[in-house]
Amino acid sequence: MSQNSSHDITSDVDQPDVCVDFADLGPGMVTTRVKVRIIRRFVCPAYGARFVEFVLEDPKGQKIHAVLGGDVAQRFSSILIEGNCIILSDFVVRMALGRFRPSSHRFRLGSNALTSVNLIRPFSQSDNFHFAKFSDIKEGHLNPCFCVDLIGRLLVTFDFRRSESNRVNHRFFFQMKDRSGVRLIFRLPDVFVDSFMNERKKWIGDFQILIVRFAKLEVVEGNVTATTACTCTQFFFDHECPEFLVMRRFFTRK
């Protein structure tokens, strides 16, 4: 009987039940395995091709940040794809430090020369968003190091990029409102504006519900706003998840 390659889909019988949940990880662990779904794959421009970053989710819905060396990401490039479920083996567990934290987990995963990846059958297709309350953001209750998911009605955009006034920052902003009526300003860097506006043009209807996944919080002149977290942040226009359907019904009744 032929052995499975690292690119084959394996079953639970093929992979003995020795995987751990993210809740059981500890610093310095190496020879262990986790069963995960790839939620996000992105590259930080500052690192170039040396590292590829991921947000992974275990079967219990807990998320963790992973930073894999470019050699590992290249070796398993055909299966390290968003939406795939995998078993990640022989990784390194480190403390999650710094001001950019896609996940609130206290650890992050790294790779070494032994790290390997096996594709497995899907165990979940859920978006598993964890939406932050706009009131908690504006009142400063959330740690700005952690990325957050946002959902709200898109109200208006402000394009100051071509302003000739020296008193105005040449930036692009938009404003969202949640079901409680709290409004939040989002600052969008120039490199994201064109794709954002192109997606918005597809909108047909009285209003638009916007989901921002992995948004970065920032404090500007004492006010907490949101912005993008490098290439990690995603925008979903009228994305039909359960929270979207609830919000659409709410604003339709208004």
Side-chain angles (χ1 to χ4, degrees):
M1 180 174 64
S2 62
Q3 292 183 335
N4 288 320
S5 72
S6 61
H7 293 64
D8 292 331
I9 296 180
T10 59
S11 68
D12 292 337
V13 174
D14 298 324
Q15 295 290 345
D17 191 19
V18 293
C19 296
V20 300
D21 295 326
F22 290 161
D24 300 323
L25 294 175
M29 294 176 68
V30 283
T31 55
T32 190
R33 309 196 310 174
V34 288
K35 182 186 296 185
V36 302
R37 185 163 67 106
I38 301 173
I39 300 297
R40 189 76 175 111
R41 173 181 173 139
F42 60 101
V43 176
C44 179
Y47 294 141
R50 290 182 298 154
F51 299 99
V52 179
E53 305 193 44
F54 300 85
V55 180
L56 307 176
E57 182 179 69
D58 69 9
K60 294 185 177 179
Q62 191 168 15
K63 297 180 178 64
I64 200 167
H65 183 199
V67 182
L68 305 184
D71 56 336
V72 174
Q74 179 63 31
R75 193 160 74 247
F76 299 102
S77 61
S78 64
I79 54 178
L80 286 173
I81 298 171
E82 290 181 6
N84 277 355
C85 293
I86 62 171
I87 287 182
L88 182 66
S89 307
D90 298 323
F91 51 86
V92 179
V93 181
R94 299 186 175 95
M95 294 298 298
L97 304 173
R99 297 182 355 186
F100 170 57
R101 306 271 295 278
S103 160
S104 60
H105 201 289
R106 63 194 183 111
F107 300 121
R108 70 174 175 86
L109 308 185
S111 62
N112 57 36
L114 299 178
T115 300
S116 64
V117 179
N118 284 87
L119 185 66
I120 60 174
R121 291 184 175 87
F123 58 79
S124 174
Q125 303 250 333
S126 173
D127 290 308
N128 282 336
F129 293 112
H130 296 287
F131 293 111
K133 294 181 179 179
F134 287 11
S135 57
D136 287 343
I137 293 173
K138 299 198 74 172
E139 293 167 12
H141 297 322
L142 303 183
N143 187 334
C145 292
F146 299 144
C147 291
V148 296
D149 296 338
L150 307 173
I151 184 171
R153 178 176 176 175
L154 181 61
L155 298 178
V156 65
T157 60
F158 308 93
D159 192 348
F160 296 136
R161 292 174 300 158
R162 296 175 180 84
S163 172
E164 295 179 359
S165 171
N166 293 328
R167 296 173 297 175
V168 177
N169 290 325
H170 295 193
R171 292 177 177 174
F172 184 96
F173 300 85
F174 60 82
Q175 186 181 63
M176 302 167 63
K177 179 173 71 172
D178 66 8
R179 287 197 296 154
S180 65
V182 178
R183 300 185 179 209
L184 182 69
I185 292 289
F186 196 103
R187 179 180 66 83
L188 191 60
D190 289 353
V191 293
F192 292 89
V193 174
D194 288 343
S195 60
F196 177 89
M197 293 303 292
N198 287 337
E199 286 298 316
R200 191 188 180 198
K201 289 176 183 177
K202 301 175 183 178
W203 161 46
I204 300 175
D206 295 331
F207 59 86
Q208 188 170 38
I209 304 299
L210 175 63
I211 292 174
V212 185
R213 189 169 216 183
F214 305 123
K216 184 78 170 66
L217 303 181
E218 61 180 0
V219 180
V220 179
E221 297 180 351
N223 297 314
V224 183
T225 60
T227 187
T228 57
C230 188
T231 56
C232 182
T233 303
Q234 292 175 292
F235 297 94
F236 299 97
F237 292 82
D238 292 339
H239 179 73
E240 292 203 6
C241 63
E243 296 88 348
F244 160 80
L245 296 174
V246 170
M247 185 161 287
R248 184 175 64 179
R249 287 195 296 267
F250 175 82
F251 282 113
T252 300
R253 295 196 304 266
K254 301 292 281 185

